[in-house]
Amino acid sequence: MFLGTHINGVDVKGRVSAPADFRAVARDEALEGVYCWPAFDGPFLEGCGQGLMERFKAMLDAWDPYDEIRTAFARAVLGEARLLGFDATGRVTLPKEFAAHAGLDGQAAFVGLGDKFQIWNPDAHEAHRVAARETLKDNKHRLRPPQAAARGDGGAA
Amino acid sequence: MFLGTHINGVDVKGRVSAPADFRAVARDEALEGVYCWPAFDGPFLEGCGQGLMERFKAMLDAWDPYDEIRTAFARAVLGEARLLGFDATGRVTLPKEFAAHAGLDGQAAFVGLGDKFQIWNPDAHEAHRVAARETLKDNKHRLRPPQAAARGDGGAA
DNA sequence: TTGTGTCCCATAGTTTCCCATGGTAACCCA
DNA sequence: TGGGTTACCATGGGAAACTATGGGACACAA
């Protein structure tokens, strides 16, 4: 599971060390790298390992092949995604257009979100992080998911 | 179940012995460590074992992926959490930013809360404990959780 | 050739692992 | 019931392993 926030340096060649924790997650899924694509809803990158990528594919397979949403999703994620391989020391090289999309310059913040993660410009992420905490403080009583009442919630996974 | 309050020392390397009772709980869930993150609503840390973490994940999976509160929750918990592994003698190492968030300096109070626990600066916890008792005395007639009658569940988030 | 991208090697700093020790609480036996 | 013994818990320090990072060499394409 991708957890925590790790800030690592991006050198002039566009290389950045994937956090060791994240590498361990990817390798547990027998992948010597991570899938990565520019988010379609903000200035950051999204990434995942083999497991989630296969779930995406299964989801698409189960969908009406000519549904507009399906096509749009496939284009926005699969069409933009690349497999970034780890080098011998655990770094990945970010394509220029990826770095540009996320405004990465010198540093990158890897944010673990369970089965996927995001890569942010550290300053942009910090601003977002503070905002998220405020949102949560104001809404912590709504933390039960919408379906909880219907499903009984609390179910162990 | 995490129960009771235990105060242990934090050494210069940021290491602290997890209470033996807590270790036993984590190991019952086949986890050689504990998940831990800075609380979003106060100067303390929160922690849990495998069971609650998987319920968090299940809750997120059941939610609209782009709901604002869901995202804020994922960011504030998963994005800040880390799996702190036990060393051979049962200690965990607190990342510097964790110790800073909770104001831990020399000692840490582990407070069991059932399926999760908190880690406090002992002085801050004592003050908070007294205040919490007063709150409870003033509200003891409201102790039945709102959902209890309907669902028979009293989960707290 | 020139620019670009990949691979390899070197290094400082940090983190993790390992061993050793005192204190405390539980247990056993007389 | 009291004394002694054992096992476990919490803690301290040192060494090895790993992480993150920088620079240079090489291959390929324009």
Side-chain angles (χ1 to χ4, degrees):
Chain A
M1 194 152 59
F2 298 106
L3 291 176
T5 296
H6 312 259
I7 297 180
N8 285 336
V10 181
D11 67 21
V12 290
K13 300 180 181 179
R15 297 179 302 183
V16 56
S17 286
D21 294 353
F22 287 23
R23 295 204 298 268
V25 174
R27 287 178 171 143
D28 278 349
E29 300 177 350
L31 187 64
E32 266 300 309
V34 288
Y35 294 102
C36 196
W37 64 95
F40 61 81
D41 61 342
F44 55 93
L45 308 176
E46 295 206 278
C48 70
Q50 192 66 39
L52 182 58
M53 185 52 71
E54 284 175 7
R55 293 225 308 276
F56 278 156
K57 201 171 160 296
M59 185 173 95
L60 290 170
D61 288 346
W63 214 324
D64 172 0
Y66 291 99
D67 182 281
E68 264 183 52
I69 309 263
R70 175 200 189 279
T71 305
F73 178 80
R75 291 180 70 152
V77 176
L78 303 187
E80 306 276 344
R82 297 188 48 180
L83 174 58
L84 306 182
F86 299 140
D87 72 12
T89 65
R91 283 180 291 198
V92 295
T93 299
L94 298 171
K96 285 196 181 61
E97 62 271 25
F98 281 24
H101 177 86
L104 300 180
D105 174 37
Q107 289 199 309
F110 288 76
V111 184
L113 295 175
D115 48 12
K116 69 177 180 178
F117 61 91
Q118 298 177 344
I119 303 177
W120 285 78
N121 174 304
D123 295 333
H125 174 252
E126 179 59 21
H128 230 81
R129 191 180 74 86
V130 172
R133 293 195 154 229
E134 290 306 313
T135 298
L136 207 52
K137 266 201 277 192
D138 295 342
N139 290 281
K140 60 183 173 184
H141 300 299
R142 290 176 52 201
L143 264 181
R144 269 175 192 287
Q147 300 87 341
R151 297 173 48 244
D153 185 42
Chain B
M1 198 153 62
F2 299 106
L3 290 177
T5 296
H6 311 259
I7 297 181
N8 284 336
V10 181
D11 68 20
V12 290
K13 297 183 181 178
R15 296 180 302 185
V16 56
S17 286
D21 294 353
F22 287 22
R23 295 203 298 268
V25 174
R27 287 178 171 141
D28 278 350
E29 299 178 349
L31 186 64
E32 265 300 309
V34 289
Y35 293 102
C36 193
W37 64 94
F40 60 81
D41 59 348
F44 55 93
L45 308 176
E46 296 207 276
C48 69
Q50 192 66 38
L52 181 58
M53 183 53 70
E54 283 178 6
R55 273 193 287 154
F56 279 156
K57 257 195 85 203
M59 182 172 98
L60 290 171
D61 287 344
W63 215 319
D64 170 5
Y66 291 97
D67 181 275
E68 186 191 4
I69 295 178
R70 177 201 187 278
T71 305
F73 179 76
R75 270 263 176 62
V77 178
L78 300 185
E80 309 268 350
R82 303 207 29 193
L83 174 58
L84 306 182
F86 299 140
D87 72 12
T89 65
R91 283 178 293 196
V92 296
T93 299
L94 299 171
K96 287 189 186 64
E97 61 270 26
F98 281 25
H101 177 87
L104 300 180
D105 175 37
Q107 288 200 309
F110 289 75
V111 185
L113 295 175
D115 54 6
K116 68 178 180 177
F117 61 91
Q118 297 178 342
I119 303 177
W120 285 78
N121 174 304
D123 296 332
H125 174 248
E126 181 57 23
H128 190 264
R129 192 178 71 86
V130 171
R133 289 189 155 237
E134 290 305 313
T135 300
L136 204 50
K137 266 203 288 190
D138 295 343
N139 290 278
K140 58 186 173 186
H141 299 300
R142 292 174 53 199
L143 260 182
R144 178 177 285 272
Q147 303 88 342
R151 303 176 41 238
D153 173 9

